[in-house]
Amino acid sequence: MNVAAMQRLIAELRAAGIADEAVLEAIAAVDRERFVSGTFVERAWENTALPIAFGQTISQPYVVAAMTEALRVGPRMKVLEVGTGSGYQAAVLAKIARRVYTIERYKPLSREAERLLLDLRIHNVVFDVGDGSAGWPRQAPFDRIIVTAAAEERPQALIDQLAVGGILIVPVGRDPTNQIVERIVRTETGLRRDTLMPVRFVPLVAGPLPVLGQG
Ligand code: SAH
């Protein structure tokens, strides 16, 4: 890992307002170079989203940091991630949480991420292939749920799978240039919602898998 470049990114995240030391430590510990390929490896520590396979992206480090901070993850928690992609966000969560369940609709992306995390000796992530907008009912409820693709509407199935005290972080919006990250908290008596920041994510695509992803 390019340690100097990593430290520059951590300084940049601090300057941008990320204050949770556990989040910063996790980002420092996960070698982002391993999650991109080709010429993008040199750019792995830039604070920018980068392309991965199947037209998807590995999120911008600031967005990963801010969403993970907003999730308020603790070491005993069971976390669900929708949108495994490269596995980077799952790896960051795995450094903080007890166990991470992550769903991806493209099987090759999921397989690749699983291989990579094992190679990185991250053993507390469980992978599944399918439509994550339905959540993971057999493993519910979750203490924390994070969606790393943009939902057109608040995903009710995921809200239903939140434990009491649970937090869901999800980018919501129909317009790809205008999505807002929402935080939904399940309390003893109902739901509380606030908004965090504007983002640009690839869409959360519900329904059957594309043929390409079934290989
Ligand atoms: N968290 C990823 C970035 C996610 S990009 C990382 O750290 O690299 C968004 C991912 O969500 C893409 O890989 C896309 O295929 C996946 N996705 C989109 N809709 C989905 C759905 N309904 N269920 C599961 N995964 C989905």
Side-chain angles (χ1 to χ4, degrees):
M1 126 155 48
N2 183 339
V3 174
M6 178 274 282
Q7 286 170 341
R8 274 195 298 277
L9 174 65
I10 297 299
E12 199 174 326
L13 296 177
R14 275 189 208 282
I18 305 299
D20 185 328
E21 290 301 325
V23 172
L24 292 167
E25 260 173 47
I27 287 176
V30 176
D31 186 356
R32 195 164 181 261
E33 293 166 36
R34 300 292 303 275
F35 294 81
V36 290
S37 56
T39 55
F40 297 113
V41 173
E42 296 158 31
R43 302 182 53 196
W45 296 104
E46 288 179 19
N47 189 15
T48 176
L50 292 170
I52 56 172
F54 296 100
Q56 307 302 319
T57 53
I58 176 171
S59 309
Q60 182 190 1
Y62 174 75
V63 172
V64 171
M67 286 174 68
T68 307
E69 186 170 67
L71 201 58
R72 298 180 193 144
V73 184
R76 304 180 62 84
M77 290 182 183
K78 178 176 176 179
V79 181
L80 173 66
E81 179 199 25
V82 177
T84 311
S86 69
Y88 179 72
Q89 172 75 72
V92 169
L93 289 168
K95 296 283 179 189
I96 310 172
R98 178 171 59 83
R99 192 171 293 279
V100 178
Y101 295 81
T102 184
I103 313 180
E104 167 59 51
R105 65 197 288 269
Y106 285 104
K107 188 170 175 178
L109 283 180
S110 178
R111 289 290 185 270
E112 179 93 351
E114 186 168 15
R115 250 199 314 272
L116 178 54
L117 265 56
L118 286 181
D119 204 45
L120 295 173
R121 297 192 160 77
I122 295 172
H123 296 291
N124 56 337
V125 179
V126 185
F127 294 81
D128 194 17
V129 175
D131 179 6
S133 57
W136 195 321
R138 287 186 52 189
Q139 288 296 340
F142 295 94
D143 302 305
R144 299 290 185 262
I145 303 178
I146 182 169
V147 183
T148 60
E152 292 198 349
E153 290 167 18
R154 261 163 236 135
Q156 190 57 47
L158 299 182
I159 294 172
D160 292 342
Q161 288 173 37
L162 276 179
V164 172
I167 300 177
L168 165 66
I169 300 284
V170 55
V172 181
R174 291 179 178 281
D175 178 354
T177 65
N178 183 26
Q179 307 152 354
I180 305 287
V181 177
E182 296 194 359
R183 172 166 49 196
I184 295 163
V185 182
R186 178 176 294 286
T187 66
E188 299 273 356
T189 50
L191 299 171
R192 216 175 49 224
R193 184 164 60 85
D194 63 345
T195 57
L196 300 173
M197 61 181 174
V199 283
R200 268 184 184 219
F201 270 94
V202 298
L204 182 71
V205 185
L209 295 171
V211 172
L212 208 60
Q214 289 175 355

